[in-house]
Amino acid sequence: MSEATLFETDDAAIRPASAPMLDRAAALLKRSSRPILVEGHTDNEGTRAYNDSLSAARAEAVADALVARGVPAARIRTKGMAYLQPIASNNTPEGRALNRRVEILVKAETTETLVGPRKPTLNWLP
């Protein structure tokens, strides 16, 4: 879910502007019956213990939002990752914002199941 920053610094409340992104994620996830892992991530500001708690709260917030949109709670697990897997530099405000994220992983699901079958292509022979 990298379209926009979901969380402010030191916060696990999802920004209201993220609702359309969560709607799209839920629509895709409801097409599958596979287990879902929601991982919460933080930037590197603060202690490890603090970021463990914050990242877990972020994962729970997204899981709750998905359940509210019809994704079965029984399929969802959450995990806080703290700042252990940054995707950007924590040396800039922009990088820290990118690291305040949630990743949604669907176990062993095909792309076709999630987004639909590929449309056939026509091959024209010369």
Side-chain angles (χ1 to χ4, degrees), residues 1-19 21-22 38-43 50-51 53-65 79 82 93-104:
M1 300 179 70
S2 61
E3 293 175 29
T5 304
L6 290 175
F7 307 101
E8 297 291 342
T9 301
D10 297 328
D11 201 351
I14 298 171
R15 289 179 170 178
S18 300
M21 183 178 17
L22 290 166
V38 180
E39 292 181 344
H41 299 265
T42 65
D43 59 34
Y50 174 77
N51 281 293
S53 175
L54 180 59
S55 64
R58 288 177 174 170
E60 287 291 332
V62 169
D64 290 346
K79 185 175 183 181
E94 297 82 13
R96 288 188 297 275
L98 290 172
N99 289 331
R100 294 189 301 269
R101 71 190 192 283
V102 167
E103 294 183 7
I104 300 172

Side-chain angles (χ1 to χ4, degrees), residues 22-36:
L22 290 166
D23 293 343
R24 288 192 307 275
L28 290 174
L29 293 169
K30 288 190 289 186
R31 294 180 185 173
S32 170
S33 60
R34 301 288 188 170
I36 299 164

Side-chain angles (χ1 to χ4, degrees), residues 7 17 21 34 39 43 57 63 65-66 70-71 78 85 105 124:
F7 307 101
M21 183 178 17
R34 301 288 188 170
E39 292 181 344
D43 59 34
L66 294 172
V71 179
T78 61
Q85 296 180 349
L105 307 165
W124 297 99

